[in-house]
């Protein structure tokens, strides 16, 4: 490895994907959508997988949690330095989970409550209604339970502050 | 939520992104690239962030681990039902981490060893050399340390088998 890019002619300028599904949730306003699943444990929703991809769900019901990778379709113009939802201090976009990313890709770990055909019932939904989903991966403690000992600026935010700010004025809909 | 898609005309057919960086690693053969970071703890590499995005790295050095989201640029034709690396049983692609996904998007949690300008030194690299990177997000135990109590078919694979198969014949390069 040198400071030269060894692959200057191999990196495409554009990489394109097609949605494999869509989120149905009660979140219709970005500013009232919780910032993370941990702040949305009372939010349930549905991931509708488009029929051509439904066969890819085989055996997914065995997993208690899933990663969803999706398009932050209502994110605004990207910014490289931002104040995140949880703190009034500027940080690089890649040191935050803020949506205004160069590539507006969202990542959420949701609880899988059940599967009915091509519909996944999920909990911990911090995702706007109508969000296009690009991929689903099983969460596995043996891969993903990392003993991370430093969480940067997030270590400066106490639990109560994080919850209040991360909740983002979300009020559960009347059932 | 009904079985009808409520957003039929809002879901774009194509969503495009541009790489923000590239992986430099010793992995040049897909079949010898470990399947997960947990099977690649002795693999170090570099994430080169392209200069226009380098300002987005501010304060990233405070985090011990990062999510990398990248294009599985050498994945073959997608398959909806696959035998994953760790087991000789067919499962839906969305119940596995196998690369042959409808949208070939990779997700790895790597350890951040250091930052030098636009270069991130990383460990636990299970990513092919030359892989285009789409996003970097900080891993945070408070968000991502999920008490997942069911990991589906993965719960059937013992640790030794998982390590041997997940290692995928990787041999560390001589230093």
């Amino acid at each position: 490895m040198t400071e030269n890019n060894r692959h200057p002619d191999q990196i495409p300028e554009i990489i394109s994907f097609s949605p494999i599904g869509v989120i149905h949730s009660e979140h219709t306003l970005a500013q009232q959508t919780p910032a993370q699943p941990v702040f949305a444990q009372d939010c349930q929703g549905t991931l509708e997988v488009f029929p051509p991809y439904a066969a890819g769900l085989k055996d997914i019901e065995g997993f208690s949690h899933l990663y969803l990778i999706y398009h932050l379709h209502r994110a605004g113009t990207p910014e490289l330095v931002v104040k995140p939802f949880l703190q009034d201090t500027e940080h690089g976009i890649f040191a935050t989970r803020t949506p205004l990313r160069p590539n507006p890709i969202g990542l959420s770990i949701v609880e899988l409550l059940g599967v009915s055909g091509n519909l996944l019932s999920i909990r911990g939904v911090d995702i706007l209604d109508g969000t296009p989903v690009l991929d689903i991966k099983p969460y596995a403690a043996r891969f993903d339970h990392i003993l991370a000992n430093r969480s940067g600026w997030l270590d400066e935010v106490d639990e109560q502050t994080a919850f209040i700010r991360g909740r983002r004025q979300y009020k559960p809909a009347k059932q």
Side-chain angles (χ1 to χ4, degrees), chain A residues 72 82-85 93 96-101 105 153:
Chain A
L72 294 160
V82 295
K83 288 182 183 173
F85 296 138
I93 188 72
T96 81
R97 302 280 192 103
T98 303
L100 306 175
R101 324 185 70 74
I105 298 174
W153 62 269

Side-chain angles (χ1 to χ4, degrees), chain A residues 18-82:
Chain A
S18 295
I20 57 102
V22 61
I23 293 289
H24 301 281
S25 80
E26 63 184 274
H27 304 303
T28 54
L29 297 173
Q31 65 273 26
Q32 291 182 12
T33 301
Q36 283 290 325
V38 292
F39 308 128
Q41 288 302 299
D42 51 353
C43 302
Q44 294 188 21
T46 302
L47 165 52
E48 175 190 353
V49 174
F50 299 140
Y53 303 104
L57 298 173
K58 175 178 158 59
D59 300 331
I60 203 166
E61 68 278 2
F63 291 85
S64 63
H65 292 78
L66 304 174
Y67 282 109
L68 304 185
I69 296 176
Y70 49 92
H71 181 214
L72 294 160
H73 66 309
R74 287 206 230 156
T77 305
E79 297 180 15
L80 290 177
V81 177
V82 295

Side-chain angles (χ1 to χ4, degrees), chain A residues 41 43-47 49 57-68 108-125 136-139:
Chain A
Q41 288 302 299
C43 302
Q44 294 188 21
T46 302
L47 165 52
V49 174
L57 298 173
K58 175 178 158 59
D59 300 331
I60 203 166
E61 68 278 2
F63 291 85
S64 63
H65 292 78
L66 304 174
Y67 282 109
L68 304 185
S108 293
I109 302 166
V110 298
E111 184 179 0
L112 178 61
L113 300 176
V115 181
S116 175
N118 65 324
L119 302 179
L120 306 188
S121 177
I122 54 179
R123 179 158 57 199
V125 177
I136 308 166
K137 297 179 192 290
Y139 182 96

Side-chain angles (χ1 to χ4, degrees), chain A residues 23 55 74 76 78 85 107 129 156 165:
Chain A
I23 293 289
R74 287 206 230 156
F85 296 138
L107 177 69
D129 189 48
E156 302 165 4
R165 297 183 65 143

Side-chain angles (χ1 to χ4, degrees), chain A residues 3-24:
Chain A
E3 287 192 69
N4 297 318
N5 182 342
R6 293 185 301 187
H7 316 277
D9 53 359
Q10 295 178 15
I11 304 293
E13 290 189 12
I14 299 289
I15 297 170
S16 296
F17 301 110
S18 295
I20 57 102
V22 61
I23 293 289
H24 301 281

Side-chain angles (χ1 to χ4, degrees), chain A residues 93-172:
Chain A
I93 188 72
F94 300 125
T96 81
R97 302 280 192 103
T98 303
L100 306 175
R101 324 185 70 74
N103 289 311
I105 298 174
L107 177 69
S108 293
I109 302 166
V110 298
E111 184 179 0
L112 178 61
L113 300 176
V115 181
S116 175
N118 65 324
L119 302 179
L120 306 188
S121 177
I122 54 179
R123 179 158 57 199
V125 177
D126 63 336
I127 308 171
L128 274 167
D129 189 48
T131 293
V133 174
L134 299 173
D135 199 10
I136 308 166
K137 297 179 192 290
Y139 182 96
R142 74 201 301 174
F143 297 155
D144 304 312
H145 224 175
I146 303 294
L147 294 174
N149 56 4
R150 290 183 298 114
S151 295
W153 62 269
L154 274 167
D155 289 336
E156 302 165 4
V157 184
D158 67 78
E159 288 297 325
Q160 186 180 8
T161 301
F163 186 83
I164 292 170
R165 297 183 65 143
R167 189 79 170 164
R168 305 197 73 229
Q169 306 179 333
Y170 164 71
K171 296 278 190 304

